[in-house]
Amino acid sequence: KVGLPTPNVTLDTGFIPNLQIHIGDSAVIDVAGTALLEPNDAGLRFGDVLDGGSISLVAERGSINVRAGARLDVSGSSSALDFAQEESTSGYTRRTVASAGGSLEMRAPESIVMLGSVAAHAGVGETGSAPGGSIAIQLTRQREFRPGEGGGVGTFPTGARVLRVTDDLFDGVPESLNG
């Protein structure tokens, strides 16, 4: 039998003002769709055009801060592919195929500052239209927000939070987040 001392455990330290998911001003998160081609000796373009992926920035506590200059890309794609067609002299016809845009999710209980750029467009093709991507933003303490036990619960801000959507920088961004 080995006896170990009981460690000091802090259940919850309370609100931490600088706790955040920080995406820097030169960051690029690119999950855009792409063509996945299958090589062959005949020089034909077989394969798939993949949809844009998904980016989830989810802070169970704290904030999300995406700095100006950062780029998030969930766009679809397009590519020329060859399809079997009996009417063609070669037996194939080439068409541009489009894929759908992906998704961006941002959720935080304290604040979300989104100063970077987002691309979520669909690819452009000849075979019908593909849907563009989606963006979901939640500034909420209702999902996944668990302040824990202990003395820290009362330290969290309880004032009103504001969701402001703008196409440019505005005076409401604190210098510490915009710097």
Side-chain angles (χ1 to χ4, degrees), residues 23 27-35 49-57 70-78 99-105 117-123 131-135:
I23 309 296
V28 176
I29 302 175
D30 187 340
V31 296
T34 189
V49 181
L50 304 178
D51 293 341
S54 62
I55 298 172
S56 294
L57 301 175
R71 293 186 304 124
L72 309 180
D73 191 345
V74 297
S75 298
S77 184
S78 58
S99 68
S103 64
L104 170 62
E105 173 190 20
S117 65
V118 175
H121 59 81
S134 65
I135 298 175

Side-chain angles (χ1 to χ4, degrees), residues 91-154:
Y92 294 92
T93 185
R94 187 163 285 179
R95 292 191 184 128
T96 302
V97 177
S99 68
S103 64
L104 170 62
E105 173 190 20
M106 299 175 76
R107 184 174 71 228
E110 301 306 326
S111 68
I112 298 172
V113 176
M114 176 57 187
L115 301 175
S117 65
V118 175
H121 59 81
V124 178
E126 304 168 36
T127 60
S129 61
S134 65
I135 298 175
I137 299 173
Q138 291 182 321
L139 185 59
T140 179
R141 291 187 180 133
Q142 300 304 311
R143 283 182 67 189
E144 303 297 326
F145 181 74
R146 295 183 212 103
E149 300 174 11
V153 175

Side-chain angles (χ1 to χ4, degrees), residues 44 48 178:
L44 296 170
D48 291 310
N178 192 23

